[in-house]
Amino acid sequence: LAAERPALDDSGRWRQLAIVGLAELLALAPWFGASAVAPNLVASWSLGGLDLPVLTVAVQLGFVAGALLLGLSGAADALSPTRLFFLGAVVAAIANLGFALSDGFLGALPFRVLTGFALAAVYPVGLKIIVGWFRVDRGLAVGTLIGALTVGSAMPYLFRALGTLAAVDWRVVVAVASVSALAGGALVLVAGRSGPYDVRAPGFSLESARQAFSQRGVRLANVGYLGHMWELYAMWTWIPIFLLASFAAAGVDDPALAAFVAFVVVAIGGIGCVVAGLLADRLGRTTVTIGAMAVSGSAAVITALTFGADPWLTTVAALIWGVTVVADSAQFSTAVTELTPAGTAGSALTLQTAAGFTLTSVTILLVGWVGSEGGDDAWRLVFMALALGPLVGIVAMARLRRSPDAQRL
């Protein structure tokens, strides 16, 4: 009977990966809009204390709320994924433009929350579209999509570098990210298609999540993921400010250079995602995640210690950190789908995402508060502290590697 069943046509899968990947790259540009123009915001709005990190944390918490709502409502199934992606990108673009037109911290805050809320309909939905096209080479496909997300997250830093050279107002830099998001949404709406392996996503259920997390392997994979997230978004948020301060301490006070290096440091993680996606299906998910976290944690410490040193030395250390800090990201989610009982993966992933992005809010606030208020030594201290996450993650994944559950990965 299986031989008589017509084969599903996935011949357009690589084209769809290119379309959705490019759209994801463009649509994610608003995420780090506040971080990219942080020095301008401090000067224009007289920000102090936790004001600046809160503007980024607002996006993280908005994303958590959006992801939970999508999981509870089943909107990804009730609506066409390509239309939902487009809607999310449009709302994110409008909210980001509202942030650009705000006249202060309190006015900008709700727009940042709405930006994160809307982007929950972009990244997870784009992932759903791609998984619907790939049964073979899924690790590579998901890694490529995460790579596109990584480059998209870096785009505001490139816009800032170019805007600084062109001497344009910071509001123009932020507005360009909105144009990018609109272009990404339009691309998926016009050319994106659901794949032949697309299936209805299970609705979020606390009972299903409880069943999933009752499995030791799932718990270990999630501890590994949380260790990874402890480091990732705090690094992405504060690396431009760290580099700006480090270069200035070394006698190179060039905001455009610092912003461009920050763009490259974050964007180069896209290469790491693709390479890790290629290796994970061959070497094993625990091998790839342990290796990536070992290098990224070490690079975090080394980058911290190069603060104020020759900018070339700091840049090289940061580039190694950038290429490895996100390389393993897709493998934690993939591991959860392989380890959870049938019918519980969707709820487990929703809860994993919510927990991970909530944790990033803590580290973003911690690094921003200590680094901004404490001076040069504080930047060294808090960036070194980010290595604690990978250390915990390595221990968890090593234990998973030695457990019987590892055979299911």
Side-chain angles (χ1 to χ4, degrees):
L1 290 175
E4 295 173 1
R5 189 180 301 135
L8 297 176
D9 182 11
D10 61 0
S11 57
R13 60 185 185 148
W14 296 109
R15 179 175 181 272
Q16 285 299 313
L17 179 59
I19 290 169
V20 178
L22 178 58
E24 194 91 41
L25 185 156
L26 294 170
L28 264 291
W31 195 300
F32 288 104
S35 302
V37 296
N40 306 91
L41 295 179
V42 171
S44 299
W45 293 352
S46 301
L47 299 183
L50 293 176
D51 291 347
L52 190 58
V54 163
L55 287 175
T56 298
V57 167
V59 181
Q60 309 296 107
L61 296 181
F63 182 87
V64 170
L68 288 174
L69 181 61
L70 282 176
L72 287 167
S73 66
D77 295 307
L79 301 174
S80 161
T82 54
R83 292 181 180 179
L84 185 58
F85 187 109
F86 173 72
L87 179 63
V90 169
V91 174
I94 294 172
N96 188 63
L97 188 60
F99 161 58
L101 299 176
S102 299
D103 57 3
F105 170 78
L106 292 179
L109 194 58
F111 287 113
R112 298 303 290 158
V113 173
L114 183 58
T115 299
F117 186 87
L119 289 176
V122 173
Y123 161 49
V125 174
L127 185 60
K128 182 178 187 294
I129 295 172
I130 288 306
V131 168
W133 280 99
F134 284 83
R135 181 161 293 174
V136 179
D137 297 320
R138 183 172 288 183
L140 172 60
V142 173
T144 300
L145 195 68
I146 301 297
L149 176 151
T150 301
V151 178
S153 299
M155 291 301 287
Y157 302 139
L158 177 61
F159 298 157
R160 165 81 196 288
L162 297 176
T164 301
L165 291 174
V168 301
D169 188 79
W170 67 267
R171 299 177 191 273
V172 175
V173 174
V174 174
V176 169
S178 290
V179 175
S180 177
L182 287 174
L187 177 60
V188 163
L189 184 66
V190 172
R193 301 288 183 271
S194 294
Y197 306 116
D198 185 45
V199 295
R200 182 176 179 83
F204 176 73
S205 163
L206 283 174
E207 176 58 25
S208 294
R210 187 198 66 78
Q211 291 180 28
F213 281 87
S214 68
Q215 307 295 310
R216 181 171 181 269
V218 174
R219 294 196 301 272
L220 288 172
N222 275 278
V223 172
Y225 171 74
L226 291 175
H228 157 78
M229 291 295 278
W230 170 271
E231 175 190 28
L232 176 61
Y233 274 83
M235 185 272 205
W236 278 0
T237 299
W238 294 112
I239 193 64
I241 307 301
F242 174 89
L243 291 173
L244 181 64
S246 178
F247 289 1
V252 181
D253 191 5
D254 189 340
L257 174 64
F260 180 74
V261 172
F263 161 72
V264 178
V265 166
V266 177
I268 200 172
I271 297 174
C273 290
V274 176
V275 173
L278 280 168
L279 294 177
D281 292 332
R282 294 162 176 78
L283 301 180
R285 308 203 192 288
T286 56
T287 300
V288 170
T289 52
I290 289 171
M293 286 189 288
V295 178
S296 68
S298 300
V301 174
I302 294 170
T303 302
L305 293 175
T306 65
F307 184 94
D310 187 291
W312 278 107
L313 181 62
T314 305
T315 298
V316 170
L319 286 171
I320 296 171
W321 193 11
V323 80
T324 54
V325 70
V326 70
D328 51 349
S329 190
Q331 305 314 315
F332 294 106
S333 299
T334 306
V336 167
T337 65
E338 293 169 335
L339 293 170
T340 50
T344 66
S347 296
L349 286 173
T350 300
L351 199 58
Q352 181 194 61
T353 300
F357 278 87
T358 301
L359 179 63
T360 63
S361 301
V362 175
T363 53
I364 288 171
L365 287 173
L366 176 67
V367 173
W369 178 52
V370 177
S372 300
E373 299 294 325
D376 295 358
D377 288 337
W379 278 118
R380 296 186 185 97
L381 176 64
V382 292
F383 265 43
M384 289 175 67
L386 292 180
L388 295 174
L391 179 60
V392 172
I394 288 170
V395 172
M397 298 307 286
R399 293 180 66 183
L400 176 57
R401 182 183 180 86
R402 293 193 299 267
S403 76
D405 287 336
Q407 300 302 318
R408 295 155 55 196
L409 294 177

